[in-house]
Amino acid sequence: MDCRHLCAACCIAPSITSPIPGMPQGKPAGVPCVQLDEHLRCRLFGRAERPAFCASLRPAPDMCGDSRDAAFLFLDTLERLTAP
């Protein structure tokens, strides 16, 4: 499965605890990553600076669902279930 055009749910919904260029403390859940460009694509995709967490996310029907809203709902739920 390819990433959905203009989605970026996986770059907004989850928290990321590792440093990201421009976000040295990581990013809180629900906050867009500063590395998203104007087309909601990752500027770090394929680069060594991309956090391992981000590289581990792969678009799949269970995570992405059939819409951007479904992806946000899934990732928001996962975030709540895994919060410390």
Side-chain angles (χ1 to χ4, degrees), residues 20-37:
I20 301 166
M23 298 180 104
Q25 304 302 314
K27 86 168 204 63
V31 173
C33 178
V34 298
Q35 293 301 329
L36 283 173
D37 68 14

Side-chain angles (χ1 to χ4, degrees), residues 10-67:
C10 61
C11 300
I12 299 169
S15 60
I16 300 175
T17 57
S18 58
I20 301 166
M23 298 180 104
Q25 304 302 314
K27 86 168 204 63
V31 173
C33 178
V34 298
Q35 293 301 329
L36 283 173
D37 68 14
E38 63 277 2
H39 302 289
L40 297 179
R41 304 294 289 187
C42 178
R43 290 183 183 99
L44 299 178
F45 192 85
R47 297 180 58 187
E49 301 88 0
R50 188 172 182 218
F53 173 82
C54 301
S56 74
L57 291 175
R58 303 271 189 229
D62 61 331
M63 179 175 78
C64 301
D66 59 3
S67 67

